[in-house]
Amino acid sequence: MSLPAAFPPPPASVLPPSPSTPASAPAAPTKPFRDPGGLRPILRFGGLRPKSGGADGRGWLWTGSVLTSAPYDSPAPTLVLFTPPEAAAARASAPAVLVTSYGGWSYYRFDLAVDLGPAAQAIEYAVGGSTVPVETRFRFFVPAAGEDANTAFWTCNGFGEGLKPGVESQLGGIQPMWRDLLKRHQERPFHVQIGGGDQLYADGYSHSVFEDGSILGKWLQTGDINDRANVEWTSEFEQAVGDFYYLAYIYHFQEEVFSEALATIPYAFVCDDHDIFDGYGSYPPDTMDAPVIRNTGRLAYKFYLLFQHHTSFAEAGALDLFPAPAGFSWLKRLGPTVAALAIDNRSQRTEDRIVPEACMDEIWRRLDELASEAESDAPRLRHLVVVATVPVVYPRMTLAGRVMDIVASMAKSFRYIVRIGTPSWLYRDALLREQSNPEINRTQITERDAMVRQLQEYAQRHLVRVTFVS
């Protein structure tokens, strides 16, 4: 297993006897539950790539993957493509790749590649073979060769834990946004959807990893911060926290309308704190270095990689994520003239640094490599979209930030935190972010400025427009 330095390897006492051995079925959940067997296929966007000698618009390849599941110990599923959809015969995709097994289910990835043609295409796929009924097929769209993808961007796909009871249902949950997106998709198909973080709210109203009564909820009841930091990670923690993230994804990725979008609009996602828990990475070292916090982050990323990227720690670098120790950023071409860069701001984040220097070095290397490839053939790269889960431009409310820092310092000096529901230290980052934005302290502002300056130089050097989405 290849892990970023920020994540400890799981203790030998909690490892299963074999990577292919599934953990026992998750314990009876205390929150809303959905059967893993109801999970639809999940369609990931890998990128548009010029074929050898084909960057002139006549030789482009769409790449992606589909994640699907089957009961453990059952035969691997099959997947077929229909190109075009009305074709009488289907063609087989690449063979199923077992990513992992968990909770009595095995999860398989199908790697897909589609040659782009002179016009945009509708592609259909079916899990289960070419004999499945037409109504059980899923359809997605790819652009014409030489055209840039029509791309949708969204972020924050859920509701926080502080929501008053009943408000989420009154607002219709997350469905209104997804109905609107699918309506627009019907009018003019999206080739890609980019999720800018918080695809899952692991600390949300419906599911919270720190729910009262859960193993982490009880851990938070430990009165002294020093005692809390010294609690050892055990097999009980491993099973309970793993089950939580697994079941949260199973539930959330079956949400009405959202699940349809996951199966029919190829996605590219990047992680932010709510995919783990609020403020992860921004707490003081004595909190972040606690075995319980570090291992919770490891398990959150394990299932993030599975459900959002169709991979594992060991194989992430072989897909399109930057390999460890360079975090889990990605750089994908959206067409001949547009590319998107998503920066992993969480896996190796500290109180003083958002993205380690080694990770940024890898980002600059890949950007230069991309520009060189584009400049060697026509058309050249003209637009770089940077997906930054941390705001790049924001108002400075220094006084509010100082007040929040004073409150946090007083609480720390007394070595206890006044509890109002969930211990407030856990949400220190959220309060700072919402009221004053000083989660980016002076060191981080310097880091932000350096990144912006380097992007400005990149834009000038390669005549590329740079746009931030956050």
Side-chain angles (χ1 to χ4, degrees):
M1 180 183 295
S2 179
L3 291 169
F7 299 139
S13 60
V14 305
L15 287 174
S18 151
S20 63
T21 301
S24 58
T30 57
K31 283 288 186 178
F33 171 79
R34 288 183 174 130
D35 191 320
L39 188 68
R40 284 179 165 184
I42 304 171
L43 178 63
R44 182 189 65 88
F45 175 72
L48 299 179
R49 301 175 185 175
K51 298 171 72 174
S52 179
D56 58 358
R58 291 191 299 271
W60 284 84
L61 194 68
W62 178 97
T63 64
S65 63
V66 169
L67 185 77
T68 190
S69 60
Y72 183 68
D73 276 345
S74 68
T78 58
L79 183 145
V80 294
L81 291 175
F82 297 84
T83 54
E86 61 273 11
R91 65 181 180 88
S93 73
V97 176
L98 176 64
V99 181
T100 192
S101 296
Y102 195 92
W105 289 81
S106 294
Y107 291 86
Y108 295 89
R109 182 183 74 245
F110 294 92
D111 294 312
L112 307 181
V114 176
D115 285 309
L116 302 187
Q121 303 174 67
I123 310 293
E124 286 189 352
Y125 68 94
V127 176
S130 58
T131 59
V132 298
V134 172
E135 59 269 19
T136 63
R137 298 180 190 175
F138 298 94
R139 174 177 289 198
F140 66 97
F141 295 85
V142 298
E147 291 186 359
D148 296 312
N150 184 32
T151 304
F153 174 81
W154 55 268
T155 186
C156 299
N157 186 36
F159 295 86
E161 191 177 24
L163 197 68
K164 293 180 180 179
V167 173
E168 182 175 359
S169 60
Q170 290 173 9
L171 295 174
I174 64 173
Q175 282 75 22
M177 181 187 79
W178 290 106
R179 289 194 181 96
D180 180 70
L181 187 74
L182 287 179
K183 179 177 179 293
R184 295 171 185 269
H185 179 58
Q186 291 175 350
E187 296 168 353
R188 184 188 173 205
F190 290 115
H191 305 123
V192 184
Q193 55 168 318
I194 295 177
D198 302 334
Q199 286 72 238
L200 171 78
Y201 268 63
D203 52 4
Y205 178 74
S206 298
H207 293 82
S208 175
V209 69
F210 291 102
E211 178 187 9
D212 287 344
S214 69
I215 192 168
L216 290 185
K218 294 174 182 176
W219 174 77
L220 282 179
Q221 304 288 338
T222 306
D224 188 271
I225 293 176
N226 289 328
D227 292 340
R228 191 183 299 156
N230 293 325
V231 172
E232 292 186 5
W233 185 259
T234 65
S235 57
E236 184 183 8
F237 275 109
E238 184 82 6
Q239 182 75 52
V241 177
D243 286 356
F244 167 81
Y245 282 105
Y246 173 72
L247 290 174
Y249 272 107
I250 292 296
Y251 182 91
H252 196 59
F253 277 26
Q254 290 187 60
E255 284 279 55
E256 181 187 359
V257 192
F258 177 46
S259 63
E260 181 181 349
L262 288 175
T264 58
I265 307 177
Y267 69 76
F269 292 161
V270 66
C271 188
D272 202 11
D273 56 343
H274 291 291
D275 293 288
I276 312 165
F277 61 79
D278 199 8
Y280 181 85
S282 297
Y283 297 111
D286 58 350
T287 296
M288 288 304 307
D289 292 339
V292 170
I293 292 296
R294 283 296 178 206
N295 281 284
T296 296
R298 171 178 58 81
L299 287 173
Y301 262 91
K302 171 184 175 178
F303 290 104
Y304 162 74
L305 290 175
L306 171 61
F307 287 105
Q308 300 197 38
H309 293 284
H310 309 178
T311 190
S312 63
F313 284 119
E315 301 296 330
L319 217 56
D320 46 38
L321 295 169
F322 291 10
F328 300 106
S329 301
W330 51 257
L331 178 61
K332 302 175 189 279
R333 295 192 73 145
L334 304 180
T337 68
V338 182
L341 167 69
I343 302 175
D344 174 12
N345 291 314
R346 289 292 165 182
S347 68
Q348 301 186 72
R349 186 189 185 109
T350 67
E351 193 178 27
D352 297 320
R353 181 90 192 187
I354 297 173
V355 182
E357 188 173 353
C359 298
M360 293 306 303
D361 289 343
E362 179 66 11
I363 287 172
W364 302 129
R365 186 190 71 79
R366 295 203 180 199
L367 283 174
D368 284 336
E369 187 178 80
L370 175 65
S372 298
E373 290 175 358
E375 289 169 358
S376 64
D377 293 292
R380 66 175 178 82
L381 182 70
R382 295 178 179 273
H383 192 182
L384 175 67
V385 179
V386 179
V387 184
T389 61
V390 173
V392 176
V393 180
Y394 53 86
R396 296 287 304 279
M397 292 181 283
T398 308
L399 178 60
R402 289 176 179 170
V403 171
M404 295 300 295
D405 280 334
I406 291 171
V407 171
S409 297
M410 291 174 61
K412 187 174 181 181
S413 67
F414 283 110
R415 308 308 297 167
Y416 70 89
I417 301 297
V418 177
R419 288 191 81 247
I420 303 176
T422 303
S424 58
W425 69 265
L426 187 64
Y427 294 96
R428 172 176 177 267
D429 182 71
L431 291 171
L432 290 173
R433 197 169 55 239
E434 292 171 3
Q435 298 189 28
S436 60
N437 273 322
E439 70 161 19
I440 306 177
N441 58 29
R442 183 172 300 176
T443 302
Q444 292 172 339
I445 290 173
T446 301
E447 179 184 355
R448 185 275 312 268
D449 291 347
M451 180 190 74
V452 171
R453 281 196 300 271
Q454 197 145 352
L455 283 170
Q456 287 175 327
E457 293 171 3
Y458 181 85
Q460 185 175 33
R461 186 166 63 252
H462 298 291
L463 300 178
V464 173
R465 174 186 177 190
V466 177
T467 300
F468 292 102
V469 292
S470 179

